[in-house]
């Protein structure tokens, strides 16, 4: 089994986000918008988050993903989108989920 087998594709993620919104939950969508150097997920990768802290998909992994979920909860509350950047030196990259250093930019938007 691969990571791809464990994650939903884009249409499944968007359907999940829509279902959560129809159930009355606040929802945010996080999207990788840029990468520099090594990054575990390509541009266009998505993570959907609901106001209860549930999430599906992936934008990076490790501590980066946790930080994106926390920011998404604030985006849901405020209704204001945010751009986030994460970068790590090679020696600490594995601990936070960036496999060989590098940087990523993630856009987090509320689903309205």
């Amino acid at each position: 089994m691969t990571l791809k087998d464990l994650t939903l594709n884009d249409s499944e993620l968007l359907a999940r986000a829509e279902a959560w919104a129809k159930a009355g939950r606040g929802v945010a969508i996080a999207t990788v918008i840029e990468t520099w150097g090594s990054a575990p997920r390509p541009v266009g990768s998505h993570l959907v988050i609901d106001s209860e802290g549930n999430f599906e998909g992936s934008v990076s992994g490790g501590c980066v993903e946790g930080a994106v979920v926390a920011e998404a909860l604030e985006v849901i509350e405020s209704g204001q989108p945010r751009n986030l950047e994460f970068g790590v030196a090679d020696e600490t990259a594995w601990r936070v989920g960036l496999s060989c250093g590098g940087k990523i930019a993630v856009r987090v938007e509320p689903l309205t």
Side-chain angles (χ1 to χ4, degrees):
M1 187 175 294
T2 67
L3 177 61
K4 185 168 177 61
D5 296 327
L6 297 174
T7 60
L8 302 175
N9 67 38
D10 285 345
S11 62
E12 292 169 323
L13 284 173
L14 296 176
R16 180 68 48 90
E18 182 180 31
W20 287 344
K22 285 182 178 178
R25 302 180 198 173
V27 178
I29 299 175
T31 306
V32 176
I33 58 173
E34 196 167 6
T35 64
W36 302 267
S38 177
R41 303 290 296 149
V43 169
S45 296
H46 298 291
L47 179 69
V48 296
I49 307 96
D50 77 2
S51 55
E52 297 174 6
N54 299 301
F55 60 92
E56 294 281 350
S58 180
V59 292
S60 179
C63 296
V64 169
E65 210 126 89
V68 172
V69 169
E71 292 282 343
L73 293 172
E74 292 181 22
V75 165
I76 292 167
E77 181 74 26
S78 72
Q80 299 298 312
R82 294 184 186 176
N83 287 335
L84 311 172
E85 288 189 13
F86 301 93
V88 182
D90 287 341
E91 63 273 5
T92 58
W94 278 104
R95 283 184 272 165
V96 296
L98 293 173
S99 55
C100 295
K103 296 179 184 180
I104 64 170
V106 177
R107 173 88 171 161
V108 183
E109 301 175 280
L111 181 64
T112 56

